[in-house]
Each structure stands twice: as C-alpha cells, then as structure tokens.
Amino acid sequence: MPTWRCVKQCGACCHLDPTDRPDLEDYLLPTELALYLSMVGDDGWCVHFDKATRECSVYNDRPRFCRVEPDVFQDLFGVEPTELNDFAIACCQEQIEGVYGDRSLEQLRFEREVGIGPISNIDL
C-alpha cells in the first residue's frame, strides 16, 4: 500500500505562487493568508526555500499550513485522518507535476518513495 512521506530535496510544495492557488482565502485564516503571502518571493518560491540545498531553512518552525499532519489537514481541508495518506499523495503528485512535470525526476522519486512507482537499483 502506498504510504505518503516527504521526499527530501523536492521542494515542490515550496512553490507558493498564489496564482496557482486561487482558493487560499477559502482555507487559510486572514492572519495565515497574510503570512503565506509574505513568504512568497518575487519568483513565486517561498523565501525560506534554499534553492542550493533544495530544503526549507525554517523546517522545524514552519507555519501550520506547511505541515502535513492529520489535525492540520482536517482543519484546513476537511480531510479525515483516515483519508490523509491518499489525499497527501494526490496533492504531492499534482504539485510536483505542476512545478516540475509529470515525468520529472522529482515525480519519479516521489512515486518510488511512496510505493507507487517503479522500484529499481538506479538512485534517482
């Protein structure tokens, strides 16, 4: 069974361009929306995303809306904890495809890591 996990050095979720997420105000509180918008750099990427290492520079202190946790997803999106795994996998696939492409190295790595892609000895 596929199991969601964050794949290091992907960062697709750090592409915060609000034009890609027109419904932000539907699920973020006004203070969260202001924080979200303050985190968007001129290029659409989060200002805390280190492009050299492809990692979040504030990961341990990242905002609530950046956390894939049952209570957060239930509160923000109405996703029941039992549905979180499948929902998170689908969200990541969609975001990775939008940022990098559906057959990108990032998509292939994600699918392999969660257990829905081909398994090989090649280190993607």
Side-chain angles (χ1 to χ4, degrees):
M1 176 177 162
T3 304
W4 180 88
R5 66 178 53 92
C6 182
V7 176
K8 289 188 180 271
Q9 297 177 319
C10 170
C13 60
C14 299
H15 191 261
L16 303 179
D17 189 342
T19 61
D20 293 339
R21 299 173 183 181
D23 56 348
L24 287 169
E25 55 277 338
D26 293 344
Y27 55 86
L28 294 179
L29 298 171
T31 55
E32 291 175 317
L33 180 58
L35 175 59
Y36 182 99
L37 295 174
S38 76
M39 292 169 52
V40 181
D42 292 337
D43 58 359
W45 286 90
C46 179
V47 296
H48 301 294
F49 182 63
D50 183 328
K51 292 177 189 152
T53 63
R54 296 181 74 177
E55 293 181 348
C56 175
S57 64
V58 296
Y59 187 81
N60 291 331
D61 297 317
R62 69 196 185 280
R64 177 179 85 111
F65 53 79
C66 292
R67 297 173 182 271
V68 179
E69 297 171 355
D71 60 325
V72 172
F73 271 60
Q74 187 168 28
D75 185 43
L76 293 180
F77 310 112
V79 175
E80 294 297 324
T82 57
E83 299 169 358
L84 177 59
N85 185 66
D86 292 341
F87 186 85
I89 288 172
C91 284
C92 284
Q93 287 179 300
E94 184 178 322
Q95 184 67 15
I96 293 168
E97 179 180 344
V99 173
Y100 300 118
D102 67 337
R103 297 313 318 155
S104 63
L105 181 58
E106 292 80 6
Q107 188 77 280
L108 296 171
R109 285 181 57 234
F110 175 75
E111 291 176 357
R112 184 185 70 181
E113 290 293 319
V114 300
I116 56 177
I119 306 296
S120 75
N121 292 329
I122 299 171
D123 183 23
L124 298 174

